[in-house]
Amino acid sequence: MPGAGAYAQTTTAAPRLGLQAHYGAVGNFQASSFRDTPWELQRVNFLGTAGGAEVSYRVGRAGAVALGYTRSVNMDFKQVPFETSWGSTQTVDFRLRYVNNAFQAVYERALTPDFRLHAGLLYLTTASQRVYYQGINPYGTPVFGVSETNRRNSYAEEAGVVAGLEYSRPIDTRLRLGLKLRGYYLLSVSTFEMLTLTPTLTYSL
């Protein structure tokens, strides 16, 4: 088959090392599953931003191993209205964040020169914030506390797997522009954490 031979020749001649940067959108199912109550605020938006980098090394004709890091941030802006002792209405403003740091080791397989599948292991740490109501001070103003749960104070870390695909096209002899879709599943708590869709820029050495 001429097409298969041409593809084998292309992958064999490809550079071995790739450096990639990515930045785009994240949909976080876990972060958006929280619910606010009159006493506690912790829900953030489903959509957020995700970005990071990846280093890959080609093995064989169509395979590669890669180490990657992705940081995702989901936020929400909270406004809590209250009535002052002199009868006016004011608000207390908060901006809550839910941050994931995802460290990944994956194996990639090229289906065509432009399409790649990937799957691998995941180590994830999380920092999530919440605001809780503490009562009224002597001046009639509500008092709130802000706390953060993270790896350092609460061991907020999980293990899981990642999988997805990427489409990319060459824009130079060493540069490729693409789009990557990746899902993150936490085996330690049996939860689908998030889905990222990020444009990618890869430099080959």
Side-chain angles (χ1 to χ4, degrees):
M1 294 176 56
Y7 173 52
Q9 183 178 5
T10 301
T11 55
T12 303
R16 287 199 172 272
L17 189 65
L19 305 176
Q20 183 184 94
H22 58 270
Y23 186 82
V26 59
N28 195 307
F29 298 91
Q30 176 65 19
S32 62
S33 68
F34 299 139
R35 291 294 177 263
D36 292 339
T37 70
W39 304 275
E40 185 178 66
L41 305 176
Q42 60 178 332
R43 188 183 187 278
V44 296
N45 295 322
F46 172 72
L47 292 178
T49 59
E54 191 168 281
V55 178
S56 62
Y57 184 79
R58 184 172 61 85
V59 289
R61 291 185 174 182
V65 291
L67 296 176
Y69 167 75
T70 300
R71 176 184 172 89
S72 68
V73 180
N74 294 75
M75 297 192 300
D76 194 17
F77 187 69
K78 308 289 187 180
Q79 289 186 314
V80 181
F82 68 96
E83 188 172 331
T84 65
S85 57
W86 54 88
S88 66
T89 300
Q90 296 186 4
T91 60
V92 180
D93 300 333
F94 303 97
R95 179 171 291 174
L96 297 183
R97 297 194 312 163
Y98 186 100
V99 180
N100 276 335
N101 295 289
F103 303 87
Q104 305 137 75
V106 301
Y107 176 76
E108 302 176 348
R109 184 73 179 180
L111 302 180
T112 72
D114 299 329
F115 275 101
R116 302 178 72 88
L117 292 177
H118 54 263
L121 302 177
L122 166 69
Y123 170 71
L124 185 83
T125 67
T126 300
S128 60
Q129 297 174 329
R130 67 186 181 97
V131 174
Y132 50 93
Y133 177 68
Q134 292 183 311
I136 302 292
N137 66 19
Y139 302 99
T141 304
V143 178
F144 296 90
V146 180
S147 68
E148 180 177 281
T149 301
N150 53 48
R151 185 182 65 85
R152 182 173 299 178
N153 62 29
S154 302
Y155 303 101
E157 53 187 349
E158 305 293 346
V161 294
V162 296
L165 56 88
E166 180 181 358
Y167 174 78
S168 66
R169 297 283 295 176
I171 58 174
D172 198 345
T173 55
R174 292 187 178 272
L175 286 175
R176 297 184 70 92
L177 186 64
L179 187 66
K180 180 192 294 185
L181 177 69
R182 180 170 288 183
Y184 301 72
Y185 184 81
L186 304 181
L187 293 173
S188 52
V189 289
S190 301
T191 299
F192 189 80
E193 176 76 11
M194 61 183 183
L195 192 68
T196 57
L197 181 63
T198 55
T200 62
L201 184 64
T202 306
Y203 182 76
S204 301
L205 299 175

